[in-house]
């Protein structure tokens, strides 16, 4: 009791000690609070850091493989260097040491980032093992490493415009890579799903890597041979719509896509739109046949130019005589094509082209596409010129889709860059022409390969059918006779179609051995012939020693027996 009285005594001699003790206790407590606050301010929240790091690390993507399972794009693990700026003691020293090891890192930008109050920053993504070891030996607090995914394309530029590429965060920027993100891949990552390569199913593309390599190789040689500004080629399975091979030059390497945004490096198959020249005559003749305006025996007057107002339509190789429908195609008569289009009429012509997918933007898995350029005021003159491929500009793959429909029995199938499932049926797609119309066009295309402008692609044993297309480019609102866009389409084989080959060339130059002619037969036709010869065996098409004797049975039943007979050049004339 005496001791308690002494402690709680209010005698003035005891008060000073108690006050000093109380002040010391409160001072110590206050110092503890300040110290803890300073500690928490200097030390990052581990949960916050982990969240920031997790969000920054590039996410996994599924492998892209060709139709045979060969890898076209895959992820690899790389180490990346990061920093926690709040833990950096001397930002100037850290900047100097780090840039000595990583000289490609901008010192000013790094110093600024290290001086920020952020919890997490990247210093460099994807360093080499030697760089990682050198940074580690620096022993800088607040600098560390994180493993992340990096997209690589083991075949370099092969199929670049189809594959597209990703950014440093492994997000799709173009091509199929961007398409996958649009299909929900990026949403899964954003939702926090921990997707690893082993639990992502590979995506099978329609491309055949072997055929694509051969096609690009031939296109490179063709581009150099004819000194063209650009070129593109594709092979389409006419019965499934699968793009089996494609290339557009100049292209880029998706591993380092610095050239991808150059204006001249666009995908000319889907982004560029062009007047396709005489390849459109196939659509015009199919339209006239399908509408019952003509048959294969019909006669078309091509004896003189076709006039309107102050303009005239003439033939490049004029015959100055009445032509049969097959002869209009073989002689590539502008006059004959225009007359047949006028038989159908402006509205009928527009309706047919819309039905054939030539009036609207073609949508595929590739985000990069362009609208057709259609006349603002579609008159009879428009119908006459569009009949032979002038006045309407479309993407080459779009025109290819329409010609494929003429080849496969009449079914319009939107091209795809993904492998079709085994149960795919072309019959589930809209039918746009009668079967006999399609067979008539196949006969005419075969005839053109025998005696017409497609002879350079008439590779023995493949029963090729084809059509050339040469269009003058519009420069400053006028057609330039010296700047051409050439197209060649070839069907293999014509009796039982499998593949449609197409080559386009932008401003090819004529060669002395070709008489300096720069029209399609001499350049795009030449390249397509080499493609057929080289690629067809890779696709399981071997040359046949004995060609079919009755390749067009529907026409024979309709009374066109000559369609099953070998063409005689004397009947159609050489040109």
């Amino acid at each position: 009791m005496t001791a308690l009285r002494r402690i709680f005594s209010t005698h003035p001699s005891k008060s000073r000690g108690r006050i000093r003790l109380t002040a010391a206790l409160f001072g110590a407590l206050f110092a503890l609070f300040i110290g803890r606050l300073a500690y928490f301010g200097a030390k990052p929240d581990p949960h916050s850091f982990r969240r920031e790091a997790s969000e920054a690390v590039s996410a996994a993507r599924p492998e892209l493989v060709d139709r045979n399972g060969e890898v076209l794009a895959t992820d690899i693990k790389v180490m990346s260097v990061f920093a926690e700026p709040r833990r950096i003691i001397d930002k100037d020293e850290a900047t100097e040491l780090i840039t000595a090891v990583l000289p490609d890192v901008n010192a000013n930008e790094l110093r600024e980032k290290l001086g920020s109050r952020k919890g997490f920053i990247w210093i460099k993504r994807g360093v080499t093992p030697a760089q990682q070891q050198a940074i580690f030996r620096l022993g800088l607090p607040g600098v560390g490493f994180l493993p992340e995914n990096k997209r690589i394309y083991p075949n370099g530029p092969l199929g670049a415009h189809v594959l597209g590429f990703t950014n440093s965060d492994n997000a799709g920027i173009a091509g199929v890579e961007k398409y996958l993100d649009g299909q929900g891949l990026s949403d899964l990552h954003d939702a926090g799903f921990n997707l690893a390569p082993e639990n992502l199913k590979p995506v099978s593309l329609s491309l055949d890597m072997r055929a694509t390599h051969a096609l690009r190789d031939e296109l490179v040689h063709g581009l150099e041979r004819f000194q063209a500004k650009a070129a593109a080629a594709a092979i389409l399975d006419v019965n499934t719509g699968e793009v089996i091979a494609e290339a557009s030059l100049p292209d880029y390497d998706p591993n380092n896509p610095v050239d991808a945004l150059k204006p001249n490096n666009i995908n000319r198959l889907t982004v560029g739109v062009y007047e396709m020249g005489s390849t459109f005559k196939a659509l015009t003749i199919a339209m006239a046949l399908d509408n019952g305006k003509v048959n294969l025996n019909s006669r078309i007057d091509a004896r003189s130019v076709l006039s309107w107002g102050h303009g005239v339509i003439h033939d490049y190789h004029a015959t100055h005589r009445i032509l049969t429908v097959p002869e209009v195609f073989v002689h590539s008569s502008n006059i004959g094509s225009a007359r047949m289009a006028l038989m159908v009429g402006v509205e009928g012509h527009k309706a047919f082209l819309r039905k054939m997918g030539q009036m609207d933007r073609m949508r595929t898995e590739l985000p990069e596409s362009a609208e057709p350029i259609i006349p603002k005021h579609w008159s009879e003159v428009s119908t006459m010129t569009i009949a032979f491929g002038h006045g309407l500009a479309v993407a080459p793959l779009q025109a290819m889709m329409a010609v494929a429909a003429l080849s496969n029995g009449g079914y319009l199938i939107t091209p795809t860059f993904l492998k079709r499932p085994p149960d795919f049926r072309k019959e589930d797609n809209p039918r746009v022409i009668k079967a006999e119309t399609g067979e008539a066009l196949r006969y005419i295309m075969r005839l053109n390969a025998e005696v017409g402008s497609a002879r350079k692609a008439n590779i023995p044993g493949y029963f090729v059918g084809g059509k050339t297309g040469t269009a003058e480019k519009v420069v400053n609102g006028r057609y330039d006779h010296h700047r051409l866009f050439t197209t060649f389409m070839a069907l293999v084989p014509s009796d039982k179609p499998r593949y449609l080959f197409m080559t386009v060339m932008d401003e090819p130059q004529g060669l002395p051995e070709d008489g300096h002619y720069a029209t399609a037969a001499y350049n795009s036709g030449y390249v397509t012939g080499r493609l057929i010869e080289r690629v067809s065996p890779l696709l399981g098409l071997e040359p046949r020693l004995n060609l079919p004797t009755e390749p067009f049975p529907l026409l024979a039943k309709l009374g066109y027996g000559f369609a099953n007979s070998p063409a005689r050049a004397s009947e159609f004339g050489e040109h």
Side-chain angles (χ1 to χ4, degrees):
M1 291 295 292
T2 304
L4 288 175
R5 265 193 229 102
R6 286 174 183 169
I7 293 173
F8 293 102
S9 171
T10 58
H11 193 276
S13 62
K14 304 290 185 181
S15 298
R16 291 190 188 90
R18 285 197 292 269
I19 291 171
R20 281 196 292 269
L21 178 61
T22 303
L25 288 173
F26 275 105
L29 188 59
F30 183 74
L32 179 63
F33 286 154
I34 294 296
R36 293 297 291 174
L37 287 173
Y39 172 77
F40 286 127
K43 181 182 179 182
D45 176 6
H47 297 290
S48 174
F49 170 76
R50 280 197 293 270
R51 183 170 60 253
E52 288 187 63
S54 176
E55 291 173 354
V57 170
S58 58
R61 304 181 66 83
E63 281 191 340
L64 300 181
V65 299
D66 84 336
R67 62 187 304 104
N68 302 309
E70 298 292 333
V71 175
L72 299 174
T74 189
D75 283 349
I76 61 171
K77 287 293 184 183
V78 296
M79 297 302 293
S80 294
V81 186
F82 72 89
E84 301 168 73
R86 290 186 295 227
R87 294 184 60 201
I88 299 296
I89 299 171
D90 187 334
K91 66 177 181 180
D92 293 320
E93 179 190 26
T95 299
E96 184 178 345
L97 292 173
I98 291 170
T99 53
V101 177
L102 305 173
D104 54 336
V105 172
N106 185 286
N108 292 331
E109 291 179 3
L110 178 59
R111 186 178 292 106
E112 183 179 346
K113 289 196 292 185
L114 292 179
S116 71
R117 301 301 299 165
K118 293 182 178 179
F120 177 94
I121 64 161
W122 284 120
I123 294 177
K124 185 178 179 183
R125 316 287 287 272
V127 296
T128 66
Q131 289 173 328
Q132 181 189 355
Q133 285 299 317
I135 293 290
F136 178 76
R137 291 193 194 100
L138 295 177
L140 294 171
V143 176
F145 307 94
L146 280 174
E148 59 174 341
N149 300 293
K150 181 180 180 181
R151 200 66 160 170
I152 64 164
Y153 303 87
N155 302 293
L158 199 66
H161 285 106
V162 173
L163 299 174
F165 57 94
T166 61
N167 62 14
S168 58
D169 293 319
N170 232 18
I173 299 299
V176 172
E177 296 282 29
K178 186 174 182 179
Y179 165 78
L180 291 179
D181 284 359
Q183 294 301 299
L185 180 63
S186 60
D187 293 337
L188 291 174
H189 289 308
D190 292 343
F193 285 89
N194 184 21
L195 300 179
E198 54 269 20
N199 54 37
L200 288 171
K201 185 179 179 182
V203 176
S204 296
L205 303 190
S206 62
L207 297 180
D208 183 306
M209 188 168 65
R210 301 165 306 164
T212 300
H213 169 76
L215 179 144
R216 185 180 183 277
D217 187 52
E218 292 295 339
L219 197 61
V220 167
H221 292 311
L223 190 72
E224 294 172 352
R225 176 183 175 89
F226 298 104
Q227 295 298 296
K229 177 182 175 182
I235 302 172
L236 186 71
D237 186 321
V238 300
N239 297 304
T240 66
E242 294 169 301
V243 178
I244 302 299
E246 70 81 51
S248 179
L249 301 178
D251 53 14
Y252 60 89
D253 186 345
N255 292 297
N256 184 30
V258 291
D259 296 327
L261 299 180
K262 290 182 178 179
N264 199 38
N265 292 7
I266 62 169
N267 184 357
R268 281 171 168 76
L269 294 169
T270 60
V271 177
V273 290
Y274 310 94
E275 294 183 354
M276 297 299 291
S278 294
T279 52
F280 253 51
K281 288 171 183 167
L283 301 183
T284 302
I285 292 177
M287 174 182 67
L289 287 169
D290 214 57
N291 279 275
K293 301 298 181 182
V294 298
N295 58 46
L296 291 181
N297 289 322
S298 296
R299 307 286 173 171
I300 311 297
D301 189 355
R303 289 175 294 182
S304 59
V305 298
L306 187 60
S307 302
W308 83 89
H310 297 291
V312 294
I313 292 173
H314 59 84
D315 287 341
Y316 188 70
H317 293 292
T319 59
H320 302 294
R321 63 183 179 86
I322 294 175
L323 303 174
T324 64
V325 168
E327 286 177 322
V328 169
F329 194 82
V330 169
H331 291 294
S332 201
S333 172
N334 296 340
I335 298 168
S337 300
R339 289 193 184 279
M340 279 191 276
L342 289 175
M343 293 177 191
V344 177
V346 171
E347 294 306 317
H349 190 203
K350 289 166 66 176
F352 182 80
L353 291 178
R354 187 173 299 282
K355 180 173 67 171
M356 300 300 291
Q358 304 303 292
M359 301 282 280
D360 302 296
R361 184 194 297 265
M362 183 184 68
R363 304 286 185 179
T364 68
E365 295 82 13
L366 303 190
E368 303 82 23
S369 63
E371 291 274 2
I373 300 176
I374 300 170
K376 292 181 180 179
H377 305 289
W378 194 304
S379 62
E380 281 195 343
V381 174
S382 302
T383 278
M384 286 190 284
T385 59
I386 291 170
F388 52 86
H390 287 264
L392 175 65
V394 300
L397 188 61
Q398 189 169 8
M400 202 177 187
M401 170 182 68
V403 176
L406 305 182
S407 310
N408 66 16
Y411 299 97
L412 188 72
I413 306 172
T414 301
T416 181
F417 294 92
L418 300 179
K419 188 177 181 180
R420 296 285 194 196
D423 59 351
F424 176 84
R425 298 174 67 252
K426 66 180 180 181
E427 291 80 9
D428 294 333
N429 291 270
R431 189 163 206 165
V432 288
I433 59 168
K434 304 183 190 74
E436 53 268 28
T437 301
E439 190 166 292
L441 261 293
R442 288 193 280 113
Y443 159 69
I444 293 174
M445 290 178 72
R446 172 59 189 161
L447 185 64
N448 195 41
E450 288 187 282
V451 300
S453 60
R455 284 174 294 176
K456 285 187 179 292
N458 188 21
I459 306 302
Y462 287 105
F463 208 63
V464 176
K467 185 69 187 86
T468 54
T470 303
E472 296 170 355
K473 294 178 67 175
V474 177
V475 180
N476 298 323
R478 300 179 64 86
Y479 284 106
D480 188 329
H481 303 309
H482 303 291
R483 299 172 70 176
L484 305 177
F485 185 85
T486 66
T487 306
F488 195 99
M489 292 199 195
L491 185 63
V492 182
S494 294
D495 58 326
K496 295 179 180 179
R498 291 279 305 280
Y499 301 105
L500 183 63
F501 290 70
M502 180 183 68
T503 303
V504 298
M505 304 199 85
D506 192 353
E507 298 185 23
Q509 306 302 306
L511 303 180
E513 58 265 39
D514 295 331
H516 294 285
Y517 284 111
T519 49
Y522 296 96
N523 41 72
S524 291
Y526 169 86
V527 174
T528 305
R530 291 179 62 89
L531 284 176
I532 293 170
E533 191 168 21
R534 181 173 174 181
V535 178
S536 293
L538 297 176
L539 301 179
L541 289 177
E542 296 293 339
R544 292 179 287 182
L545 296 177
N546 298 311
L547 295 180
T549 55
E550 293 188 359
F552 306 107
L554 289 179
L555 295 185
K557 289 180 181 179
L558 293 173
Y560 300 109
F562 61 86
N564 289 330
S565 303
R568 296 192 302 273
S570 58
E571 289 183 22
F572 296 95
E574 297 281 0
H575 83 285

